[in-house]
Amino acid sequence: MASSPTPRDIRRLASDHDFVLGAHPAPRRLGWWPFIAIHLSLPAALIAGIIFVVVAIVYTNELSKQTLECPSWANACRVADSWTTKNLGTVQGIITMIYLIGMLALAYAALGVCETTIWPLLSKQSFTIQGLDAYLSTTRGSIMSAPAAVMAVKTFAAGFVLTCAIVVTLLPLAGPPLVGHAYSPTLRPVQLESNYTAGGGIAELYAQTNPPTSVMVRVLAEYSSWAIDPTSEPMPEYRDWYVNREVLSERGNFSGKAMKFDTYISCRPHQIQQLNRNNSWWNAFVTNMTRTNNNSTHTGEKNSSAEVWFRPQPQLTVWADDFEFVSDWRTKTTLVFAALNGTIDGGFTMPLLIGDLISASSIACDVEIEAVDAILSVGTSPVDTTNLPVLSSTDTLTVSPASSPKTALNELLLWFTVAPLMASTSVDGTQPITGALRSIDQ
């Protein structure tokens, strides 16, 4: 039969637990490392929790830098793999589970430490039996005991430990909605890079000849489709810019350096001159477009035909009557519109002597185009304009090798001033027509 402890044994046991103030010998303290050695589950849970949470955060962060879909023109676009894109809900569930497990493991380690602080707290304040039970239950993860535990707190240290225990208990509950918000697909602007072939130009000199210069088939096809369906024209508000609008229309918002055409048009009544040769009237009009030769080095010299031919039928026809290189950056061309056997509001009417034609009403329109280098901004304007890509420039345009360096840009602009001629078809080698018209508003 075991003997009862002596008063000395009871005093020694009490001193080990610090129940008796001033007891001898002094209370024995185990220290941090012996405590960890006894409770290996706490560091294991802490390490596992950190690993799980870090994995969830790192994966989510990397996935947030990727897009679910990239346009075909984008370079180096980080797009999520097809499986992730198609099974985003499954991925969200897996990451939520990993993050929740990690947070629960961290909570287990933190609550284990919070529970052990009850011993030093007893030396700073007293607890009732009910208050102590509620405090211990709260530090073990019971939220229902938190109100009673809060009422039992009397010191800052106890309040701090209790607050940590409550926060650690509630924090894992925020995991699912937090991950759900992070994995919700959103529409937001991203900056992408793509390739664009800059430059452009025309490597030939324009000359009004008989028959007329061949129409640009692609231009005519595109203009016709846009006329039939105006909504099919890409970026119609940027017509003044010399860029490939069909390509750039897919790029979204962007900025770049490009060449812009400032166009000025003024019209006036104009008297045309029918060609008379050998005392006979011909279905032709005299122009001022004649040049000396294609290789002329003199500004503004003309090599076009001296007359243009038209079909002797009631129609609206157009031709270039004259041009001028106003400056190194500016070209002016005079286009004549004539309604045969018809009228143009504000036009000059004169008799015609050919076939069934008896009159022609005509106006002359000066089309003046100036090329300037500017910054094209689609959407928001850029803050920094020093490193913008060059979409087109007056320095990189393709020009005719037969043109003089001084007038090379003027020769290119000449093509744009006669654009109405390039977008119309020629019949039987005569000037372009637009159909049988009787009355036309200027």
Side-chain angles (χ1 to χ4, degrees):
M1 181 178 180
S3 58
S4 300
T6 63
R8 184 176 182 180
D9 293 334
I10 294 176
R11 183 178 179 84
R12 189 184 74 250
L13 292 173
S15 65
D16 289 343
H17 294 282
D18 202 13
F19 288 161
V20 181
L21 298 178
H24 182 77
R28 180 170 58 89
R29 299 182 181 276
L30 295 177
W32 176 254
W33 292 113
F35 173 78
I36 294 298
I38 296 174
H39 302 86
L40 292 178
S41 61
L42 296 181
L46 178 64
I47 295 174
I50 292 176
I51 293 176
F52 275 69
V53 171
V54 169
V55 168
I57 293 177
V58 170
Y59 179 83
T60 302
N61 181 62
E62 287 298 315
L63 188 60
S64 67
K65 298 177 182 178
Q66 304 174 10
T67 61
L68 299 181
E69 183 180 0
C70 274
S72 58
W73 49 261
N75 295 335
C77 179
R78 298 188 61 184
V79 61
D81 60 88
S82 59
W83 189 90
T84 300
T85 302
K86 295 178 181 178
N87 301 276
L88 190 61
T90 303
V91 174
Q92 176 183 337
I94 295 174
I95 296 300
T96 301
M97 181 183 64
I98 294 175
Y99 183 77
L100 189 59
I101 291 174
M103 294 300 297
L104 291 175
L106 294 177
Y108 173 81
L111 291 175
V113 174
C114 289
E115 183 180 1
T116 60
T117 60
I118 188 62
W119 298 109
L121 289 178
L122 286 175
S123 64
K124 296 181 179 294
Q125 74 161 75
S126 61
F127 286 91
T128 62
I129 295 300
Q130 292 82 358
L132 181 63
D133 180 65
Y135 191 91
L136 289 175
S137 297
T138 303
T139 57
R140 292 168 183 168
S142 175
I143 296 299
M144 300 299 297
S145 304
V150 171
M151 299 299 297
V153 170
K154 299 178 181 178
T155 62
F156 174 78
F160 177 77
V161 174
L162 185 65
T163 302
C164 292
I166 294 174
V167 171
V168 167
T169 302
L170 294 177
L171 199 57
L173 301 179
L178 182 64
V179 176
H181 176 72
Y183 278 78
S184 298
T186 58
L187 294 175
R188 61 185 180 90
V190 294
Q191 185 173 354
L192 300 174
E193 295 182 356
S194 67
N195 294 328
Y196 178 82
T197 304
I202 301 176
E204 298 180 11
L205 291 175
Y206 173 74
Q208 184 169 249
T209 58
N210 292 300
T213 304
S214 298
V215 69
M216 299 178 180
V217 178
R218 181 181 176 184
V219 173
L220 180 59
E222 290 184 350
Y223 278 22
S224 299
S225 63
W226 297 346
I228 296 173
D229 181 14
T231 60
S232 64
E233 180 183 359
M235 302 171 63
E237 62 275 23
Y238 298 95
R239 292 171 181 168
D240 295 337
W241 295 86
Y242 190 54
V243 293
N244 191 331
R245 291 184 287 146
E246 184 177 3
V247 173
L248 295 179
S249 62
E250 303 175 356
R251 299 297 195 265
N253 295 340
F254 65 90
S255 297
K257 298 178 181 179
M259 187 173 67
K260 183 182 180 182
F261 293 151
D262 291 333
T263 306
Y264 309 90
I265 302 176
S266 61
C267 297
R268 64 187 185 280
H270 177 74
Q271 182 179 1
I272 57 180
Q273 181 181 354
Q274 186 178 0
L275 178 63
N276 185 293
R277 183 178 297 168
N278 298 326
N279 295 323
S280 297
W281 296 100
W282 298 81
N283 57 318
F285 296 117
V286 179
T287 74
N288 297 305
M289 290 287 290
T290 306
R291 291 197 192 189
T292 54
N293 56 70
N294 285 343
N295 297 317
S296 174
T297 57
H298 296 82
T299 302
E301 290 193 348
K302 308 166 185 178
N303 68 341
S304 300
S305 299
E307 64 277 331
V308 292
W309 295 80
F310 62 91
R311 296 187 70 193
Q313 295 181 5
Q315 61 190 2
L316 174 70
T317 186
V318 58
W319 68 89
D321 183 69
D322 196 1
F323 73 91
E324 178 186 357
F325 295 162
V326 181
S327 68
D328 294 345
W329 305 80
R330 198 178 186 109
T331 297
K332 180 175 71 173
T333 299
T334 300
L335 299 181
V336 175
F337 297 84
L340 309 182
N341 275 10
T343 58
I344 298 178
D345 185 22
F348 184 91
T349 302
M350 59 165 288
L352 279 183
L353 301 173
I354 184 75
D356 295 331
L357 301 180
I358 60 174
S359 66
S361 178
S362 58
I363 60 172
C365 293
D366 293 330
V367 181
E368 198 165 345
I369 295 182
E370 181 180 15
V372 293
D373 288 326
I375 295 177
L376 170 61
S377 295
V378 178
T380 56
S381 300
V383 177
D384 183 13
T385 61
T386 56
N387 297 318
L388 294 178
V390 178
L391 305 178
S392 61
S393 171
T394 55
D395 298 328
T396 60
L397 293 174
T398 300
V399 295
S400 172
S403 62
S404 167
K406 182 177 177 58
T407 61
L409 181 59
N410 296 108
E411 296 286 1
L412 177 63
L413 295 178
L414 181 58
W415 283 93
F416 294 98
T417 60
V418 298
L421 302 178
M422 298 296 99
S424 304
T425 56
S426 171
V427 179
D428 295 334
T430 60
Q431 286 303 113
I433 61 174
T434 58
L437 299 176
R438 291 294 178 181
S439 180
I440 304 170
D441 292 333
Q442 181 175 337

